[in-house]
Amino acid sequence: MQVQNVEKPLYRGTFHCFQSIIKQESAFGLYKGIGSPMMGLTFINALVFGVQGNTLRALGKDTPLNQFLAGSAAGAIQCIICCPMELAKTRMQLQGTGEYKLKTKNYKNSLDCLIKIYRKEGLRGINRGMVSTFIRETPSFGFYFLTYDCMTRYLGCEAEDSYVIPKLLFSGGMSGIVSWLSTYPVDVIKSRLQADGVGGVTQYNGILDCVRKSYHEEGWRVFTRGLTSTLLRAFPVNAATFATVTVFLMYMRSEDNLRECEPGPVIQQPSSL
């Protein structure tokens, strides 16, 4: 949705895109590029929650500002994994668009994709879109952890609360939505830069050039391309992520040390990640 040609669009909207992929590429088409997230997300989440927790402890006080700063630090550092991972995912997803059986297969899998890009373009090639990824992830993760902290405090997530799991799920889901909304236009630009050059045609000379050309050709709506599908994904994914991390930390700690299930006190304690 983010990178399709505006003059010859393949998809009219999220649901039409979903239908078309299944019809043209089978249900397996919905999972193109899954190898890259499977390889990278474990490390990304470990890095994000570890850095956030240690940064929060280093800042001393559990305040909304410190939650934002700690989250931003975590978002910035994980870019070193996130950028190559999303580059491979983007290239794999664009490969053979609309084809049931690929006629030309440039990449066997995500790892092969990164290896071929490295051989052709070097380190700069596999880090294509790094600046836009950094601009997107740094404030996004700040809002991510800030929203979760505010939501859990507002909902009163106590360990003995019988509704603690639904509250954690709702808080995590809303955190994901807020974080994506905060920097989504940058994600569109990042996707276009990483997809640029596929098929041998290069359109953009950098972030500003991509912004200028995209706006000139499609107007402001270009910066919301694919937003619906992103938000539909963001809620369940982040609900599961935050709830799992919080419940796991609660389980690993003794009842004597456990008082609240909010991310600040949970993650900033010495025994945390």
Side-chain angles (χ1 to χ4, degrees), residues 44-235:
I44 285 177
N45 282 323
L47 191 62
V48 163
F49 284 96
V51 170
Q52 194 271 351
N54 283 288
T55 303
L56 195 58
R57 283 197 296 274
L59 291 173
K61 294 182 179 180
D62 177 20
T63 63
L65 177 60
N66 286 348
Q67 285 282 352
F68 181 85
L69 293 175
S72 297
I77 291 175
Q78 60 91 43
C79 287
I80 58 175
I81 301 176
C82 179
C83 181
M85 181 195 79
E86 294 200 350
L87 174 65
K89 176 173 70 73
T90 298
R91 295 293 178 90
M92 289 295 294
Q93 288 177 338
L94 289 175
Q95 184 172 245
T97 301
E99 297 178 11
Y100 182 73
K101 290 185 178 180
L102 298 183
K103 298 176 182 177
T104 55
K105 196 172 183 179
N106 296 322
Y107 312 117
K108 297 177 183 177
N109 50 53
S110 297
L111 185 59
D112 180 59
C113 176
L114 289 175
I115 291 173
K116 287 183 176 178
I117 292 174
Y118 176 75
R119 287 175 178 172
K120 185 178 180 180
E121 305 176 45
L123 280 174
R124 185 173 183 177
I126 62 173
N127 287 301
R128 179 189 289 266
M130 178 63 79
V131 175
S132 53
T133 301
F134 179 84
I135 295 172
R136 180 194 70 179
E137 298 290 79
T138 302
S140 175
F141 272 90
F143 286 113
Y144 187 54
F145 283 95
L146 174 62
T147 303
Y148 186 72
D149 179 63
C150 293
M151 288 294 297
T152 50
R153 291 180 188 277
Y154 177 78
L155 294 174
C157 289
E158 302 293 340
E160 62 276 6
D161 188 350
S162 59
Y163 295 103
V164 66
I165 300 298
K167 289 180 179 179
L168 292 176
L169 289 169
F170 181 73
S171 299
M174 292 305 298
S175 300
I177 287 178
V178 170
S179 69
W180 274 106
L181 285 174
S182 66
T183 57
Y184 189 76
V186 184
D187 184 62
V188 176
I189 299 303
K190 190 271 308 174
S191 295
R192 292 191 162 209
L193 288 173
Q194 291 185 329
D196 196 31
V198 173
V201 180
T202 302
Q203 299 183 63
Y204 311 118
N205 294 322
I207 295 175
L208 294 179
D209 185 53
C210 181
V211 171
R212 182 178 60 81
K213 288 181 178 177
S214 297
Y215 178 76
H216 178 73
E217 293 173 3
E218 303 174 54
W220 64 270
R221 290 184 182 276
V222 67
F223 301 113
T224 63
R225 280 274 198 92
L227 180 60
T228 301
S229 56
T230 298
L231 296 182
L232 287 173
R233 177 192 65 185
F235 190 93

